[in-house]
Amino acid sequence: MATLVDRLDDVLGAAAATPLADVFGIHTVEELLRHYPHRYMTHGSELGEKEPPEGEHITIVATIESATLRSMKNRNGQFLAVTLAADGQRIDATFFSPHKLKHVLVTGRRGMFSGKVKYFGKRWNLTHPSYVILGGDGNDGAVVPAGRIVGGGTLAGLARGSVDSSGAVDMSVFDRAFVPIYPAAKDVESWTFMRCVRQVLDQLDDVTDPLPESVRAQRGLVDIDTALRSIHFPETAQDKDSARERLKFDEALAVQLVLADRRRDASTRVAARCPPITDGIAAEFDRRLPFELTAGQHVVAAEIANDLSAPHPMSRLLQGEVGSGKTIVALRAMLQVIDAGHQCALLAPTEVLASQHARSIRSMLGSLAAGGELGSHELATKVALLTGSMSTAAKRSALLDAVTGDAGIVIGTHALIEDRVEFLDLAMVVVDEQHRFGVEQRDALRAKARENTSPHLLVMTATPIPRTIAMSTLGDLETSVLTELPRGRSPIVSSVVPARSKPGWVDRAWQRIREEVAAGRQAYVVCSRIGDDEDAETGKKGAKKKATSEDGPETTAALDLHEALATGPLHDLSVGLLHGRLPGDDKDITMSEFNAGEIDVLVCTTVVEVGVDVPNATVMVIMDADRFGVSQLHQLRGRIGRGGHQGLCIMISYLSPMGGSFARLEAVAATNDGFELAKLDLATRREGDVLGAAQSGTVSGLRLLSFIDDEDIIADAQDCARSLFTLDPSLAKNPGIASMMRSAWRSDRVDYLEKS
């Protein structure tokens, strides 16, 4: 008999186990059983996807509609051109060694075909796929890997779990109501998984359930042993659905246990109490504000002030629409901490944003940011900036201000996390653009607080996060949301330009920039890349060229477009250039000149995506807009219309207006609601793209759970996890639950929503 922890080479033998390990990294019984079918072969359901991505290895069930010998064009020999019919669709398949196969691949036969997708025009093709013929005559039942034929006979292995030497198939396994179709590869086909899983299940001992019976009964969940068997070989639709429901809940619960444990851990830590006072720097700042905060800002500020007054560290996520005023809310919170005699750190993902925050905060504070200077206000503090590209002298000064406590606010990039950075009394950490940082990074900054204390944590994001994503990646944080725009700010008008069919509209975009500049405004022009002609090490320009890719047309580089605009349609305007390869001082100078209105048009990359605040900028042209994600487009256009003037965003694409990418751009143009766009982003992207770049330290092995469809399951799992920790904080009474929690941690941690 076998258990979940047994190695597959002991259960299946080395010959069967080695390909599973080499191709899929599957080494144990549990890892194999967790490789779930992604669909099932049933009558009337043959294709998994009508338009599968090119290059993907898929398995379909289809009927051979025609099989024709054809001569090769460029060399001697023939091939067998087969047309497959499935779900009303026709798929071409090409087979070599045709004389060996033409007696097997004949019109009317039905089979399971597995291979890599390749498109020719709008029609997709499988080149020399492996297959199993399904049917009832004497030639049926051969498993034929690409390039060779395995002989006749019977293979009881698929039914009983053993493999005989002949390599043929017992077709009774395909007589089931639901035949599992697995994610597969050339060297490990779906039917190989079917055989291996069947063999393992035949030897598997009953699996001990980690979930308490009370939890299962309350939710009507089947036990784990039944679920693991039924997910692979269900007898009925109810078996399949019950197994999926149980396994989805397990996946959701494992993640929520991790987050609940983090919440419990935070509740046991000690933090500096920082209650608001009426005669400190925070109150003086409020008295100087030249505008009234929105109702939403008042509500969120009160939530944060209450958290800071508690003896345990605040852990709060502040979500806010682009331009909703998150920074001023965070600044007021930091001043409350300074009033209590402590320091704050603000962590930004880029030098441009860190520098922008330093300028913005110093500007908002005025003389309150001139601590230690002649004539400064008696309540004033210092605002220090620390980034990697600063001069040695500037770094030394910032480090000194931090360690002596002279700087109440220290702003920086990842440089703040370095060991040599020390604070006198760090009591609050603000993390801007949460999705750019992982759990370890924010914890490393937390560790710089005084011994035996933890700093309060406020993480901010202008990338709207759907509720299911937030629950599954940021569930250890309380959440506040700002949805109102500050008074006087107008919604941004957006339009999409099909550049190939309407080149005149591109010219009109440059004209619109000229009109805005003539009215005293400024503009951004955003490109998806710096330029292939620039050497990353030397920064020198070489021969100009445009990038091309297999999945789209050529793209425009910032270097090239800057030169083209400065010598062409915008030749009489001041056109600046900003990108990530520029030295830090050059970036600061360029942004300062743009802020001061000395640059009319800034050609840039996504270094301006977050936080950059130039109220006079009213127009943004985004080149090759289809290359950006939905949330990223929303972030970019949030850089304009931040003053009292209407913002205009023009998204230029060279793709066909009939394609899905263009439709996505039009959907972005149709709304300014970032939370609606976040849902669109999740719906239009593969969930694996979101899941695979999930918040560091949480998600691993989510195979069935859907962030789109399973909100109720995720919410239920969150409630369950918190209840379990309330009743058993150490999980000593629930070792199975503790094991589930450990399974959710991953060693190859990555940042959340790397490209939103």
Side-chain angles (χ1 to χ4, degrees), residues 385-399 420 584-585 588:
L385 174 66
L386 181 63
T387 64
S389 65
M390 289 170 57
S391 67
T392 301
K395 286 181 182 176
R396 186 180 297 116
S397 177
L399 291 169
R420 64 196 181 109
D585 289 345
D588 289 341

Side-chain angles (χ1 to χ4, degrees), residues 311 347 374 469 519:
L347 182 63
L374 187 64
I469 295 283

Side-chain angles (χ1 to χ4, degrees), residues 451-464:
E451 189 175 358
N452 300 321
T453 67
S454 293
H456 298 284
L457 175 68
L458 177 67
V459 295
M460 304 190 297
T461 181
T463 301

Side-chain angles (χ1 to χ4, degrees), residues 108-111 132-142 171-172 174-175:
R109 284 186 174 172
R110 189 164 176 261
V132 175
I133 294 297
L134 314 175
D137 65 37
N139 291 322
D140 291 343
M171 303 315 297
S172 65
F174 296 103
D175 293 335

Side-chain angles (χ1 to χ4, degrees), residues 642-663:
R642 301 176 73 86
H645 304 283
Q646 179 75 63
L648 171 63
C649 178
I650 302 170
M651 294 177 278
I652 295 177
S653 174
Y654 288 86
L655 297 184
S656 167
M658 306 303 293
S661 294
F662 201 89

Side-chain angles (χ1 to χ4, degrees), residues 32-53:
L32 175 62
L33 296 183
R34 298 291 186 183
H35 187 85
Y36 306 127
H38 62 145
R39 63 187 183 91
Y40 299 85
M41 183 182 77
T42 61
H43 294 294
S45 178
E46 298 175 320
L47 285 179
E49 297 182 69
K50 294 295 185 183
E51 296 182 3

